[in-house]
Amino acid sequence: MDETTFWTLVEQDGDADPDERLDRLTTRLASLPPPDITDFQVLLDHIRGRADTWDHWAAAHLVLGGCSDDGFFYFLAWLVGLGRARFGGIAEDPDALADHPRVRHLATLDPDAWGTDVPGWEALDYVAREAYIRATGEYDGLDTALAARGHAPMVAPDPDGTPWDPDDADELLRRLPRLSALFADRIAHG
């Protein structure tokens, strides 16, 4: 599987209900040969890694009103779920999140009113494993295939760059000016 095929799979049904979208993605992956399913996981880890930076974590922290390791990891999966073009723009510039309609909408709401609309896609982490099980019946087959390739799956964020405090208002304004403006109330009260 190449990166174009990866993105084609991820982008299909992008407007569908998240559970329905995930089920369709899993079904499509399960119909592929096991090496392609393994490729999907390797590509997911590689692509997600492009946005695994301290600036992206600070952007997630600002948007989410705080962000744990798991929260950032699921946020990165959500970014991948936005599709190739949008992900690419945000991977290059985390402040580009300020242009995303959903992020702009969430900025108008109290986080307690978000319900299930939190930007995160935890289930994307499990899609290749489920597809591999469906395709082969082997519960640990994906782990074995990844190990045979010398690939350790990404299971938590490991940000690139120099760490900095996302609660530092001056640093937020300098690094993420548009997001800071969008979520100014969180900075002022954070």
Side-chain angles (χ1 to χ4, degrees):
M1 174 181 299
D2 61 14
E3 200 167 304
T4 299
T5 304
F6 171 90
W7 283 115
T8 298
L9 287 165
V10 168
E11 290 172 342
Q12 288 179 341
D13 305 315
D15 294 332
D17 168 80
D19 291 336
E20 189 175 308
R21 180 181 182 196
L22 189 70
D23 186 53
R24 290 178 186 169
L25 175 58
T26 305
T27 299
R28 286 185 191 101
L29 267 179
S31 72
L32 299 175
D36 286 347
I37 301 169
T38 306
D39 289 344
F40 182 91
Q41 184 63 52
V42 171
L43 285 165
L44 174 61
D45 292 341
H46 173 73
I47 290 166
R48 182 187 344 223
R50 294 178 192 162
D52 188 9
T53 72
W54 289 104
D55 286 354
H56 287 86
W57 197 328
H61 182 83
L62 186 55
V63 170
L64 298 170
C67 192
S68 67
D69 291 8
D70 287 346
F72 180 52
F73 200 59
Y74 305 148
F75 186 83
L76 290 172
W78 176 76
L79 291 179
V80 171
L82 297 177
R84 184 180 212 158
R86 188 149 294 180
F87 175 85
I90 294 167
E92 287 293 316
D93 175 17
D95 206 30
L97 275 165
D99 299 327
H100 190 282
R102 185 164 167 201
V103 171
R104 295 185 73 76
H105 173 69
L106 292 174
T108 68
L109 302 175
D110 182 293
D112 293 333
W114 287 8
T116 59
D117 208 25
V118 174
W121 198 14
E122 176 184 1
L124 184 60
D125 288 332
Y126 312 114
V127 70
R129 176 171 314 286
E130 178 60 30
Y132 206 97
I133 293 167
R134 287 186 195 178
T136 67
E138 299 172 25
Y139 181 79
D140 293 326
L142 180 62
D143 293 330
T144 302
L146 291 169
R149 289 190 185 185
H151 179 77
M154 188 176 185
V155 296
D158 185 18
D160 288 334
T162 303
W164 60 279
D165 182 0
D167 290 320
D168 181 333
D170 292 335
E171 197 65 19
L172 276 172
L173 290 168
R174 187 178 75 73
R175 293 179 186 238
L176 303 168
R178 294 183 297 145
L179 269 178
S180 294
L182 198 59
F183 291 96
D185 62 323
R186 294 200 184 154
I187 295 171
H189 298 103

